[in-house]
Amino acid sequence: CAGVGTQGTYLIKVWSYSKKPTVAIEQAKKNAVHGVVFKGFAGSKGAPGQKPLASNPNLEQEKQEFFTDFFADNGKYMKFVFESADGSIAAGDRLKVGKEYKVGIVVSVNVSALRADLEQAGVIKGLGSGF
């Protein structure tokens, strides 16, 4: 957690590796949405951690076709994640590790819209539907 975003959003710092920094940035966005859906994240800087949107640990396998399309390059996940900075990366957040770059970016994930979309698609249960 990188701080508190506007209502309905999470600010998350995500790290990714790639041979090209631009690819690592796009992968980090995908990783952020994936983490919100399946993993949750620890809190920091006065912001609470969050549990994953999916309560079923097998959901990714059970809905594999949906998530393959959802997380495809330029897939639907892009609607829910935005770089929170102006696109510049701090010097300490772009590191050369062997033949790859390790890139860290802070992204904003629109969790409210993401949850609504996944509920509408029947992928996760609504908050009011019980367990």
Side-chain angles (χ1 to χ4, degrees):
C1 184
V4 179
T6 58
Q7 187 170 352
T9 66
Y10 297 156
L11 282 178
I12 307 167
K13 184 161 189 175
V14 185
W15 292 88
S16 187
Y17 294 85
S18 180
K19 291 183 180 187
K20 296 181 181 178
T22 54
V23 173
I25 291 169
E26 292 308 310
Q27 185 62 42
K29 292 178 187 177
K30 193 179 293 189
N31 293 347
V33 174
H34 188 276
V36 167
V37 175
F38 299 109
K39 306 272 186 207
F41 55 88
S44 68
K45 296 185 182 180
Q50 297 294 326
K51 292 183 178 179
L53 295 180
S55 56
N56 176 355
N58 300 317
L59 182 67
E60 190 170 12
Q61 289 79 30
E62 291 173 10
K63 303 283 186 176
Q64 184 176 6
E65 186 175 328
F66 174 86
F67 286 113
T68 298
D69 293 341
F70 187 83
F71 287 113
D73 290 343
N74 296 312
K76 197 170 184 181
Y77 79 93
M78 295 287 291
K79 289 178 24 178
F80 308 106
V81 64
F82 311 94
E83 287 181 59
S84 64
D86 59 2
S88 60
I89 299 171
D93 289 344
R94 181 178 168 168
L95 309 167
K96 183 90 167 156
V97 180
K99 294 184 178 185
E100 292 186 317
Y101 287 94
K102 177 181 177 183
V103 178
I105 63 168
V106 176
V107 296
S108 174
V109 178
N110 186 335
V111 180
S112 296
L114 176 59
R115 174 183 292 282
D117 190 76
L118 294 176
E119 287 174 4
Q120 184 178 6
V123 175
I124 63 171
K125 293 180 180 173
L127 290 174
S129 67
F131 291 94

